[in-house]
Amino acid sequence: MKSLIIKTLILFIPFLGIAQQTVISGKVQDGATKETLPYVTVTIQDNASKTLVTAITDDLGLFTIEAAPTGSTTISFSYTGYQNHTQSLIISGKQKIDLGTIDLITNMVQLKAVEISGQKSNVSLKLDKKVFEVGKDVLSQNGSAHDVLNGVPSVAVDAAGTVSLRGNSNVLILINGRQSGLTQSNALDQIAADQIERIEVITNPSSRYDAAGSAGIINIILKKNKKSGFSGQVRLVAGSPNDSRLNPSLNFKSNKINIFSNFSIRSSDYVGLYTTDQVTNSTTSPNYMHRVQNEDRHDDGKLLYMGADYFINEHQTITAAFLKNATHDNDKTDLRYQYDSDLSHTTPDSLLTRHGKSLEKRDYSQIEFNYTRTFQQKAKKWTIDVQYDWWNSDKKWDLSTQRLLPDTMVYPGIRTSSVGNSKDFLAKTDFIQPIDSLSTLEFGLKTEIRTVASNYLAEEQQDNNWIVYQNIDNDLNYDETITGAYTQFSSKINKFSYMLGLRAELTDIAIKDVENAYSDKKNYNKLFPTVNLAYNFDASSLQLNYSKRIKRPSLYALYPFNEVTDLNAQYIGNPDLNPSYTDAFEMAFLKNWKTFTLNPSLYYQYEKGFIQDYTYRQDDIFLTTPINIDYEIRSGIELSTLYNPLKWLQVNAEMNYYHFKQKGNYRDENLDYSSQNFTARLSTQIKLPAKFSFQGRYNFRGEKRNAQITSEALQSIDFGFSKLLLKDKATIVFDVTNAFNLRQYKSVTTGTDYVIKDNSIPNAARYRLSFVYRFNLTDAKAIRQANDANRN
């Protein structure tokens, strides 16, 4: 099979036929914890200290190098936070050299009055991904996963909790490489930042990943217990507006078993201000509406996660765990509407107020099981995962409305109820089979069965009775089955590496409501090829990647039930939405100098059936619904840099510029449009005397446009300080997010007979102080949370 693949490649890539040389392989790990170390730089030099070959270890800490020179050389291993390891190496002719396991020793250095602990840079630019080390980032230690993601290169989180990658929200978010209910519907805000070890940004995933997410994948890696015996930590957080958190964890590890537990309690308040100025043109004269909305949101959350790893023997491990995540939200909303036909009037034509109170309970549970089998042959691995998730939600709104001008009047009360539940079963298996020291074959199977039920009811009070309001009363059932299989082959010839993959996914979806107003069945059976090519130079790499992706509509986008909180505007789902398909191409270059790393990328994406929101008027109410348009073409350039001029100073800078073209129409309106956008981020982290650290971050997003909406430029500033205490067993952190309340979302929506201007400030500036105490830990890496879960 290997021979057939290589022969096929030679037809298309002539320079693949270079003869192989000496093959040098091995594994790199932490000398104390025995944890494998990915992304370690491996360098071979001659007797004159001239660099001959450079490589980087993979996710499993493994490396393979083809060396053309012969004679006496030295091979060195370097990794930020560890002492360099160097050893002699004699290369004579074509041979296979297995160096076995290389242990790296943690480094601790003292520079004048500034103490530098052995730490990895908080942003590392790697061959196929960007890796953001959370534990070293001051601004991420107090908050949630949203705070972490807002500091990751190429990633942004908006006011509604929507995560985007390179300005595209069609992104798949994983927890430890797997889909999770904790990544949907703002649930990422339930994951404490200190439970995250790193974030991986994968813009062109291989076929081993699910095909969902046209923009790429964001993989959140949670921390694991590494030390023997009892260990753990307790974290306390206080903030203004209120952000109170208590997060104790306790772990025990022996030769045969690893028990982990985590408990979190959270109480948070959010203050929001939203203003709208609207002009509508009637047949005679324009009408004006000014709306002010004040929000006071209060969230309580409790999370329990506990489980155990059982080490059957050196090569077999079983993991079982249970997760319970419960939230209770209590929100209050006050809206004030002022209507005018002539702005020169001192008194408005009409003045209305509405008060809303919302209570919502959500309960998410998960049982997970994993079996992992490793072998004597390095990198050979077999895993089985079985998971069962279920959640319940119950949300109630009570709305009271009254008119103050031109005369007083109390309108009938309105109440809504939304009750939902879901059951999700997943089973998957993956197998990695090395063919030789350079080639690997992978394949896997997956099936997921999900059922969701939702009951939505709106009622209006009449005397002492409640009747259905605007015919909003329905039950909707959603059933989905996704079956997938993949295979991929990777190999290396001299400095050229390649990975070819193919994934097949069969999707069956059925949507039906009790009243039979919405009934549809859809089948999406597609093949998703992937190609990853790389050529390594000395301390640099050139990549060319292609992948085909799918974006399936979310449940929120499919539900056709109207929210009635706002008198003026409503969002309704579209059960007729179809998935969109993306062909993504990318060329990236990575160059490392001693203190500077440069990573430019060019990318092109063609998304057929692009999904976007569309706003229209109906019965004097503005309705927004998601629709499919013909396509969107997006092309851009991204530049990321990492600069370490001094051991106590680190500067990260990035920019992303892209142009897009959209084509489509809806309700006889032409939605063809083309525009461009620019984003940038600058972050600096400074190690100060007396074990203090400072970090500041500036974010900028340029003006965004489509056929209906123009969003003004957006900027924000965050900064924070941290200090180690009690012989490094404790840390205290103070941070400020959205300093000076700069983060304001301003937009203009234009239609044939209306213009709407919105200014949204969903969260006021927040000030937080946290204290964490660790026992039997040198850092917070022993925290562990749910590592596997299904989708919401």
Side-chain angles (χ1 to χ4, degrees):
M1 180 176 181
K2 174 189 172 186
S3 175
L4 177 61
I5 294 175
I6 293 179
K7 288 179 180 179
T8 303
L9 284 172
I10 292 175
L11 295 176
F12 297 95
I13 309 174
F15 57 87
L16 287 184
I18 303 172
Q20 296 186 3
Q21 306 295 328
T22 297
V23 178
I24 304 167
S25 61
K27 182 174 75 172
V28 183
Q29 66 181 21
D30 185 302
T33 66
K34 305 305 177 185
E35 176 194 11
T36 57
L37 296 177
Y39 316 128
V40 175
T41 301
V42 185
T43 305
I44 297 179
Q45 295 180 323
D46 61 17
N47 291 332
S49 298
K50 178 184 177 181
T51 299
L52 304 174
V53 182
T54 300
I56 296 178
T57 60
D58 62 16
D59 291 338
L60 300 175
L62 302 173
F63 67 91
T64 302
I65 299 175
E66 289 190 9
T70 60
S72 297
T73 63
T74 59
I75 184 169
S76 62
F77 303 86
S78 60
Y79 196 40
T80 305
Y82 290 84
Q83 299 177 16
N84 287 348
H85 176 89
T86 302
Q87 65 185 61
S88 299
L89 182 66
I90 298 178
I91 302 176
S92 57
K94 298 180 181 180
Q95 61 181 134
K96 292 184 178 180
I97 302 175
D98 186 354
L99 296 180
T101 300
I102 307 297
D103 289 330
L104 296 189
I105 307 302
T106 303
N107 187 27
M108 181 81 73
V109 299
Q110 184 86 11
L111 179 63
K112 295 183 180 179
V114 182
E115 185 175 18
I116 308 296
S117 298
Q119 296 178 342
K120 289 180 280 185
S121 303
N122 70 314
V123 178
S124 302
L125 308 178
K126 305 303 177 183
L127 291 177
D128 61 343
K129 66 186 73 172
K130 293 185 177 74
V131 182
F132 181 86
E133 299 290 338
V134 177
K136 315 304 180 288
D137 186 63
V138 176
L139 291 176
S140 301
Q141 296 184 38
N142 277 351
S144 67
H146 282 166
D147 298 285
V148 176
L149 291 172
N150 256 328
V152 176
S154 309
V155 181
V157 184
D158 69 11
T162 302
V163 180
S164 61
L165 177 58
R166 289 175 172 170
N168 189 342
S169 61
N170 300 343
V171 58
L172 175 64
I173 303 176
L174 305 178
I175 302 290
N176 287 347
R178 296 171 176 86
Q179 292 176 330
S180 168
L182 293 174
T183 66
Q184 303 292 329
S185 302
N186 259 343
L188 282 174
D189 202 41
Q190 308 297 322
I191 301 178
D194 69 311
Q195 296 171 358
I196 301 173
E197 181 168 318
R198 67 181 184 272
I199 305 289
E200 298 178 347
V201 178
I202 310 170
T203 52
N204 242 312
S206 68
S207 63
R208 74 164 64 96
Y209 296 101
D210 288 350
S214 60
I217 291 176
I218 297 174
N219 188 20
I220 300 174
I221 306 297
L222 300 173
K223 295 170 181 174
K224 298 180 180 180
N225 184 27
K226 302 173 185 177
K227 298 204 72 173
S228 298
F230 283 100
S231 60
Q233 75 171 33
V234 177
R235 177 179 291 272
L236 294 169
V237 179
S240 177
N242 171 50
D243 190 5
S244 303
R245 301 171 189 257
L246 171 64
N247 178 213
S249 64
L250 182 65
N251 307 298
F252 174 78
K253 185 175 183 180
S254 67
N255 291 333
K256 296 297 293 182
I257 194 167
N258 175 38
I259 300 174
F260 46 89
S261 65
N262 195 325
F263 184 66
S264 177
I265 301 176
R266 180 179 64 89
S267 175
S268 303
D269 291 324
Y270 304 88
V271 178
L273 175 63
Y274 307 82
T275 58
T276 299
D277 288 289
Q278 170 187 303
V279 181
T280 56
N281 297 315
S282 64
T283 56
T284 56
S285 61
N287 294 308
Y288 304 90
M289 189 275 293
H290 176 70
R291 186 197 67 175
V292 177
Q293 177 179 340
N294 288 280
E295 280 188 349
D296 183 3
R297 310 189 305 274
H298 177 79
D299 297 349
D300 291 321
K302 295 180 181 179
L303 184 144
L304 171 66
Y305 180 66
M306 59 188 307
D309 303 309
Y310 178 67
F311 309 108
I312 301 174
N313 53 42
E314 181 183 358
H315 294 291
Q316 298 184 81
T317 304
I318 293 176
T319 299
F322 172 75
L323 168 70
K324 181 81 167 183
N325 186 21
T327 60
H328 186 189
D329 301 343
N330 186 344
D331 302 341
K332 296 179 181 179
T333 302
D334 287 296
L335 301 103
R336 182 181 178 91
Y337 302 85
Q338 179 178 315
Y339 299 91
D340 291 284
S341 57
D342 190 339
L343 292 179
S344 64
H345 292 168
T346 57
T347 303
D349 298 340
S350 179
L351 186 64
L352 285 84
T353 63
R354 167 170 280 189
H355 175 75
K357 184 176 182 180
S358 169
L359 296 174
E360 181 176 11
K361 294 182 179 180
R362 296 186 299 271
D363 191 291
Y364 174 85
S365 300
Q366 164 197 305
I367 296 174
E368 64 182 53
F369 171 84
N370 170 267
Y371 170 76
T372 299
R373 174 77 161 89
T374 59
F375 301 85
Q376 291 289 345
Q377 186 179 11
K378 290 181 180 179
K380 185 175 181 179
K381 187 178 181 181
W382 177 39
T383 61
I384 298 175
D385 290 285
V386 178
Q387 301 149 17
Y388 181 67
D389 304 347
W390 66 98
W391 60 258
N392 300 279
S393 66
D394 187 348
K395 182 177 182 179
K396 291 179 169 54
W397 268 101
D398 288 313
L399 303 166
S400 59
T401 309
Q402 61 178 334
R403 187 172 68 197
L404 304 180
L405 292 175
D407 50 26
T408 60
M409 177 180 177
V410 177
Y411 290 88
I414 296 176
R415 68 185 186 187
T416 67
S417 172
S418 177
V419 179
N421 64 80
S422 173
K423 297 179 177 61
D424 194 350
F425 172 80
L426 179 146
K428 60 177 297 196
T429 182
D430 299 273
F431 190 80
I432 302 174
Q433 175 61 64
I435 297 176
D436 54 34
S437 59
L438 296 175
S439 305
T440 301
L441 178 67
E442 301 179 43
F443 53 88
L445 300 170
K446 172 188 172 181
T447 185
E448 182 178 357
I449 303 171
R450 181 167 57 145
T451 61
V452 184
S454 179
N455 183 347
Y456 191 82
L457 171 66
E459 296 176 301
E460 183 180 64
Q461 189 175 18
Q462 289 190 1
D463 299 324
N464 293 324
N465 299 318
W466 291 88
I467 63 172
V468 176
Y469 177 70
Q470 295 183 351
N471 295 320
I472 303 176
D473 178 16
N474 211 342
D475 293 342
L476 186 138
N477 296 314
Y478 177 90
D479 297 297
E480 178 184 74
T481 300
I482 301 176
T483 302
Y486 78 92
T487 183
Q488 67 182 23
F489 176 82
S490 60
S491 190
K492 181 179 180 181
I493 299 179
N494 290 335
K495 295 183 178 182
F496 179 78
S497 302
Y498 61 93
M499 179 183 293
L500 307 176
L502 182 65
R503 186 177 188 90
E505 290 190 353
L506 314 178
T507 305
D508 293 321
I509 294 177
I511 307 174
K512 186 176 182 180
D513 70 326
V514 173
E515 297 182 359
N516 208 30
Y518 307 97
S519 181
D520 199 1
K521 291 186 177 181
K522 297 183 179 182
N523 299 316
Y524 314 135
N525 304 325
K526 290 288 183 178
L527 296 176
F528 300 91
T530 62
V531 179
N532 299 86
L533 309 175
Y535 188 84
N536 293 321
F537 305 91
D538 292 339
S540 63
S541 175
L542 178 66
Q543 292 180 295
L544 182 63
N545 302 313
Y546 164 77
S547 64
K548 191 175 186 65
R549 315 288 295 166
I550 182 175
K551 180 190 178 183
R552 299 180 180 88
S554 66
L555 292 179
Y556 179 75
L558 293 171
Y559 284 170
F561 305 132
N562 296 21
E563 286 281 0
V564 295
T565 309
D566 189 352
L567 288 169
N568 187 66
Q570 296 176 1
Y571 181 91
I572 57 175
N574 179 3
D576 293 325
L577 270 183
N578 290 313
S580 63
Y581 296 93
T582 298
D583 291 287
F585 301 84
E586 180 175 1
M587 183 173 66
F589 180 74
L590 176 70
K591 174 66 175 178
N592 289 296
W593 288 273
K594 186 175 181 180
T595 61
F596 186 71
T597 301
L598 179 68
N599 182 210
S601 302
L602 296 173
Y603 59 91
Y604 173 90
Q605 297 173 344
Y606 176 85
E607 185 167 354
K608 183 178 181 181
F610 182 76
I611 299 175
Q612 71 176 34
D613 285 344
Y614 177 81
T615 301
Y616 61 97
R617 290 180 68 192
Q618 180 173 296
D619 300 327
D620 293 326
I621 295 177
F622 288 91
L623 300 178
T624 299
T625 187
I627 63 170
N628 292 106
I629 62 174
D630 293 343
Y631 64 80
E632 180 190 78
I633 297 176
R634 180 176 300 206
S635 57
I637 180 172
E638 182 181 58
L639 178 64
S640 297
T641 62
L642 173 64
Y643 184 44
N644 287 102
L646 303 168
K647 289 189 176 181
W648 51 267
L649 175 63
Q650 177 177 285
V651 179
N652 306 119
E654 62 162 305
M655 59 77 67
N656 177 33
Y657 171 84
Y658 64 87
H659 177 272
F660 68 88
K661 178 182 179 181
Q662 297 173 342
K663 181 176 178 58
N665 62 80
Y666 188 73
R667 298 173 66 93
D668 298 324
E669 183 175 348
N670 184 4
L671 299 178
D672 293 358
Y673 199 80
S674 63
S675 185
Q676 58 279 325
N677 192 23
F678 175 80
T679 63
R681 178 183 288 126
L682 178 65
S683 176
T684 181
Q685 188 152 314
I686 303 172
K687 297 292 184 179
L688 300 171
K691 299 185 178 180
F692 277 96
S693 294
F694 167 81
Q695 185 182 10
R697 185 167 63 220
Y698 173 75
N699 299 280
F700 176 81
R701 189 209 69 196
E703 183 180 83
K704 295 178 62 177
R705 293 175 179 266
N706 64 21
Q708 282 196 308
I709 303 173
T710 299
S711 299
E712 293 187 14
L714 177 69
Q715 58 183 333
S716 63
I717 295 176
D718 308 312
F719 61 88
F721 294 88
S722 69
K723 177 175 172 54
L724 292 173
L725 303 168
L726 305 176
K727 298 181 180 180
D728 296 349
K729 292 183 179 180
T731 305
I732 188 168
V733 181
F734 172 76
D735 77 305
V736 180
T737 58
N738 192 22
F740 316 113
N741 283 320
L742 294 177
R743 193 176 289 133
Q744 300 186 25
Y745 299 83
K746 299 180 180 180
S747 64
V748 178
T749 303
T750 305
T752 55
D753 58 351
Y754 65 86
V755 176
I756 304 172
K757 297 181 179 180
D758 290 304
N759 185 17
S760 302
I761 309 176
N763 297 316
R766 186 177 295 277
Y767 308 85
R768 285 180 299 212
L769 182 68
S770 75
F771 175 82
V772 59
Y773 180 80
R774 298 174 288 271
F775 54 95
N776 198 25
L777 293 173
T778 56
D779 56 32
K781 287 188 177 181
I783 307 307
R784 177 165 177 172
Q785 204 191 25
N787 63 339
D788 307 317
N790 305 339
R791 292 183 296 138
N792 183 18

